[in-house]
Amino acid sequence: MTLPPRLTEGTEDLIPRARAGDRDAENALFERLHARILARAKKKVWDEQAAEDIAQETLRTVFEKLREAALPNGLFPWVFTILHNKIGNYLKRRRAELERGGAMDPEITWETVGLSRDGEIAAIDLTESLEKALRRVTPECRKVFSLLLAEVGREEIRAAFGGEPQGTVDSRISRCREKLLRHLEELWKETGR
Amino acid sequence: MRDDRSTHATMSRLLARYEFGALSDDERRAFEAHALECDLCFAELERGSVATAALRERARQFRQTLAADEARGARVAPGLAARLAGLARAIAAPRVLAPAAAVALLLVIVTLRLTGAPRYAHLATFPTDDVAADIVRGPGASDAVRELLVAGAGYFDIQQYDEAARRFRAARERDPQLAEAAYLLGLAEVFQGEERDALPDLEDAARLASDDLRPKAEWVLANAYLKAGRTRDARGVLERLSRGEGEYAAKARDLLARLPS
């Protein structure tokens, strides 16, 4: 795959350099992640100071472990896992505080952080929702997910699509992902999460 | 601006494979560098992170669901021989699938062979260039429709067919009688592997097309029929097309010679 030259400007190798201990790269990476993580946290907790605390805690954890973390799936899934855990912990604390004080902030939302109404990570609910969402997508999409989950390589995936151009294969995968997420989001709305 | 859009389009196509750890090292490095600067990709990654993390964690459980689905004989898209070869390689790799899943997939292969896939789908070919040349530039299309077609053609050129189809579909909704919109939407759907969805659009395109576009529209329609397993319908269109003159008539005669009588 030929990548456009603009991709290599500015951020190329920022993550590998930061992981190797380059302080300049760490600072640059921190700046780039901070604004986005803060924005995501604000949308989830509706409190500027709490969002800033969550962003700082998330990044502290990320950078404490950045050098030794294996990151087999890349940086972002790991960062989001940490972020969601921090948000989840905050919401649980906040809810407990509000309930103890006899008030519940109506603006705290649970649905997008994988939390049930009682504030616990709803692993079972999530699994069930995923099962249902998988059943709603087409058999071809399920095949796509089976290949991705089997961790076969890019060429194997292409071969499974009859050797079609990589762009076509990627478009199909993207469509399947979008369908799955939409079904999942519908299910979460239906169950009031 | 064009560079930014093109870059985002190229990178966003990689997002789903990134989430599942299916990018090469070079692709992953390039995608992560882009996502550090791209609000859209960052937001989309966050949106999918809970679901894909859970999917991956529970892959073994879901494989059972998937194997059951496959064991019922669900047919995957055309290109069966190559796909089966790919599956066979996956099965052969001990790190990939547990023995039970491998057995299940072998059963699937047998099932697929028995149920059959479109036999002549591999003969289907589609034009991949000159998409912009099919855009109406004259008085037949309004500015808004033409704008949608131009935007869609831009995405088509960089192989982002879902984005292209969205714009072609919007153009078609605004002007249902415009053959070019129907043709381009059908072609984009074919390239997304949605040939069954494409057939009504391509049928409309062949019906509505002017003499300039009709041979090409009929050629694409015939190939979409082939890919969808409707060989008889494909033959009908090809026979009609072959009676004419020009590039597509010659192609039709050549393809007819390779189909069963």
Side-chain angles (χ1 to χ4, degrees), chain A residues 94-106:
Chain A
R94 176 81 175 135
R95 185 181 174 97
E97 286 168 9
L98 290 167
E99 285 180 346
R100 273 199 302 274
M104 177 61 203
D105 187 341

Side-chain angles (χ1 to χ4, degrees), chain B residues 109-157:
Chain B
I109 290 172
V110 172
T111 308
L112 282 168
R113 282 191 189 282
L114 291 175
T115 55
R119 287 180 63 197
Y120 301 99
H122 65 285
L123 296 177
T125 57
F126 298 93
T128 56
D129 52 5
D130 295 334
V131 166
D134 294 312
I135 294 169
V136 177
R137 298 187 185 282
S142 69
D143 286 348
V145 169
R146 191 161 54 241
E147 186 77 13
L148 285 166
L149 294 179
V150 169
Y155 280 107
F156 193 101
D157 287 345

Side-chain angles (χ1 to χ4, degrees), chain B residues 137-190:
Chain B
R137 298 187 185 282
S142 69
D143 286 348
V145 169
R146 191 161 54 241
E147 186 77 13
L148 285 166
L149 294 179
V150 169
Y155 280 107
F156 193 101
D157 287 345
I158 55 173
Q159 299 181 353
Q160 194 154 359
Y161 303 118
D162 48 352
E163 291 292 338
R166 190 175 303 167
R167 283 153 184 82
F168 294 149
R169 189 172 293 111
R172 183 146 161 67
E173 284 167 3
R174 284 176 181 234
D175 191 346
Q177 299 302 308
L178 189 64
E180 284 76 4
Y183 168 79
L184 290 170
L185 175 58
L187 195 57
E189 288 169 328
V190 164

Side-chain angles (χ1 to χ4, degrees), chain B residues 48-139:
Chain B
S49 59
V50 171
T52 47
L55 261 178
R56 295 189 64 159
E57 282 176 14
R58 294 163 181 80
R60 185 178 298 176
Q61 296 170 27
F62 283 119
R63 278 195 198 111
Q64 292 172 355
T65 301
L66 298 164
D69 181 55
E70 289 164 341
R72 284 196 298 272
R75 181 187 294 174
V76 290
L80 183 65
R83 195 160 323 156
L84 292 179
L87 280 174
R89 276 199 296 279
I91 291 165
R95 68 180 173 80
V96 170
L97 293 174
V103 170
L105 278 174
L106 278 170
L107 285 171
V108 172
I109 290 172
V110 172
T111 308
L112 282 168
R113 282 191 189 282
L114 291 175
T115 55
R119 287 180 63 197
Y120 301 99
H122 65 285
L123 296 177
T125 57
F126 298 93
T128 56
D129 52 5
D130 295 334
V131 166
D134 294 312
I135 294 169
V136 177
R137 298 187 185 282

Side-chain angles (χ1 to χ4, degrees), chain A residues 6 11 13 36 44 73 75 84 127 140 143 149 154 160 168 170 172 175 177-178 185, chain B residues 4 17 19 27 29 32-33 36-37 39 44 46-47 49 56 58 63 70 77 83 191-192:
Chain A
R6 277 183 56 81
T11 53
D13 294 335
R36 289 193 167 84
K44 300 286 170 60
N73 305 326
L75 175 73
H84 290 154
T127 301
E140 185 182 33
K143 171 63 70 182
L149 291 171
R154 184 176 72 168
T168 302
D170 284 339
R172 287 189 188 190
R175 281 170 60 88
R177 172 190 179 276
E178 180 61 29
E185 286 159 359
Chain B
D4 290 343
R17 278 198 292 128
E19 288 178 325
E27 286 175 326
R29 191 159 52 244
E32 289 190 326
L36 282 173
E37 295 199 321
D39 289 335
E44 193 58 30
E46 201 267 347
R47 175 182 172 232
S49 59
R56 295 189 64 159
R58 294 163 181 80
R63 278 195 198 111
E70 289 164 341
R83 195 160 323 156
F191 276 85
Q192 289 178 92

